[in-house]
Amino acid sequence: KQSIEFAMDVISRTNRIDELERAYRKKHIERLNSGSCDAKTGIVYGDMIDNLKRMGNYAVNIAETVIIRLSNK
């Protein structure tokens, strides 16, 4: 869907992604410290959070490109 409004909505969600990442990492560290999560599982969990964050960044890059292209028409 190529619309400036949709692209702006994607960009506006990045703050929420950042908040969720911080909250998930904090809770994860608490689980590691309490012993309810082991280190091997923790590595996979951390990688998943990193990959989700990266996907959010890719979505923002695409949205910014859509905005630029549609603004130049």
Side-chain angles (χ1 to χ4, degrees):
K1 183 174 180 178
Q2 290 194 11
S3 77
I4 290 176
E5 294 80 20
F6 186 76
M8 294 297 290
D9 184 47
V10 169
I11 292 170
S12 71
R13 294 172 189 253
T14 59
N15 289 336
R16 180 68 178 139
I17 291 170
D18 292 342
E19 291 170 5
L20 289 171
E21 177 199 13
R22 284 189 294 274
Y24 292 154
R25 286 191 188 281
K26 181 180 178 182
K27 287 288 187 185
H28 176 60
I29 290 169
E30 290 172 4
R31 285 190 303 274
L32 285 171
N33 289 336
S34 71
S36 63
C37 179
D38 67 24
K40 288 181 184 180
T41 305
I43 291 170
V44 173
Y45 185 80
D47 285 347
M48 287 174 45
I49 291 174
D50 289 341
N51 288 331
L52 291 170
K53 172 88 170 160
R54 192 172 298 118
M55 286 189 287
N57 290 337
Y58 291 150
V60 167
N61 291 342
I62 293 167
E64 288 172 343
T65 301
V66 167
I67 290 169
I68 289 168
R69 288 189 179 172
L70 292 177
S71 296
N72 291 331
K73 284 188 175 185

